Amino acid sequence: AKQILVVPVPGSVLRVGLRETFGAPNPGWMQYDDEVELDDDGYVVSIGKQPLDPERVYKVATIVDFWRKRDAPSIGQYFEDHPEKLPEPDSGRPVHALLLTFFAMQLWTRIWKELGLNSGDESIEPEAFKALDADGDGVVSKEDLKQKLQQVSGFEHVFEGMDVLVDNMLGEIAKFGPSSKGGVSEEAIQAAAKHWSSRSLASLVSDEEEASP
């Protein structure tokens, strides 16, 4: 299975590196997420809503072809000059598992916003937790979470057959505090909200809190 690796790249290299892949259709045409902004000429100007810092080393979540020189000469040359910066081949995570975790994080973030939690530093009010704990048993169970997701999404049946994703969402929260077979606790949800307030895809691979394109 394809692995997602985290690659450290200076801002000065990223600024031109993406543009170099856009000259003609090719397998190295570089895609980027909505946290990366390009100017009209194709140069990177901001990452994570912050102006690009040429001196900063950004952590890029990507695949092994990222530093292929024929696609992006500047990126390829940088890693020819600094081979010690290349990640270990087995340091990545399988793409499907990583994306499930990332989707889980995004859905929890949407739920927290729905409950009025716009910052990971805010405490979960009792009434907000009750809105998650539909059956009032003191934990958020699989059925509680499905019900809340249906409310947030606005589609009554959208999560039929989505047990894998819901299980992954509960599993991620369970890493942060007390849980049981019945569900996850308020303490675990609070701890996860604080931890995930600034997480990126790259940080999910490397467990480092650096911004990334």
Side-chain angles (χ1 to χ4, degrees):
K2 186 158 285 190
Q3 301 276 311
I4 298 294
L5 301 161
V6 171
V7 185
V9 189
S12 58
V13 177
L14 278 178
R15 178 180 179 273
V16 299
L18 272 68
R19 184 179 186 273
E20 291 174 342
T21 71
F22 302 152
N26 66 83
W29 183 287
M30 203 167 292
Q31 301 180 48
Y32 52 93
D33 69 19
D34 57 5
E35 291 290 297
V36 178
E37 182 182 350
L38 276 57
D39 65 15
D40 292 340
D41 294 319
Y43 294 102
V44 178
V45 293
S46 72
I47 294 175
K49 299 182 171 42
Q50 298 295 323
L52 182 77
D53 182 350
E55 303 300 320
R56 180 178 178 180
V57 176
Y58 292 87
K59 294 196 178 291
V60 181
T62 186
I63 59 175
V64 70
D65 295 339
F66 175 76
W67 52 86
R68 190 165 53 199
K69 191 173 181 179
R70 69 174 182 268
D71 298 327
S74 295
I75 293 174
Q77 187 62 56
Y78 174 77
F79 285 106
E80 279 191 12
D81 295 340
H82 303 280
E84 74 282 359
K85 302 292 186 183
L86 287 171
E88 293 293 331
D90 60 353
S91 65
R93 290 183 58 184
V95 62
H96 292 114
L98 179 64
L99 286 175
L100 269 177
T101 299
F102 188 65
F103 293 154
M105 181 181 75
Q106 294 297 302
L107 286 168
W108 275 116
T109 299
R110 187 168 178 179
I111 288 172
W112 291 323
K113 282 190 175 181
E114 181 80 6
L115 298 175
L117 297 172
N118 297 314
S119 165
D121 293 331
E122 296 182 53
S123 297
I124 296 178
E125 296 294 331
E127 290 304 314
F129 184 76
K130 286 180 182 178
L132 278 175
D133 180 20
D135 57 14
D137 64 355
V139 296
V140 175
S141 67
K142 187 172 181 176
E143 292 307 314
D144 292 336
L145 184 54
K146 279 186 175 181
Q147 183 172 324
K148 191 61 185 177
L149 287 171
Q150 288 166 359
Q151 293 171 2
V152 169
S153 67
F155 296 101
E156 183 178 355
H157 301 297
V158 72
F159 284 99
E160 287 186 358
M162 296 290 283
D163 285 353
V164 172
L165 179 57
V166 173
D167 286 342
N168 190 274
M169 291 180 70
L170 291 173
E172 289 300 317
I173 294 291
K175 297 175 182 177
F176 293 93
S179 61
S180 67
K181 290 183 179 179
V184 294
S185 67
E186 181 177 352
E187 292 84 357
I189 292 172
Q190 181 70 63
K194 291 181 178 180
H195 181 74
W196 278 348
S197 61
S198 62
R199 300 287 275 174
S200 66
L201 184 60
S203 70
L204 292 177
V205 181
S206 67
D207 286 328
E208 296 186 33
E209 300 275 334
E210 296 281 351
S212 70

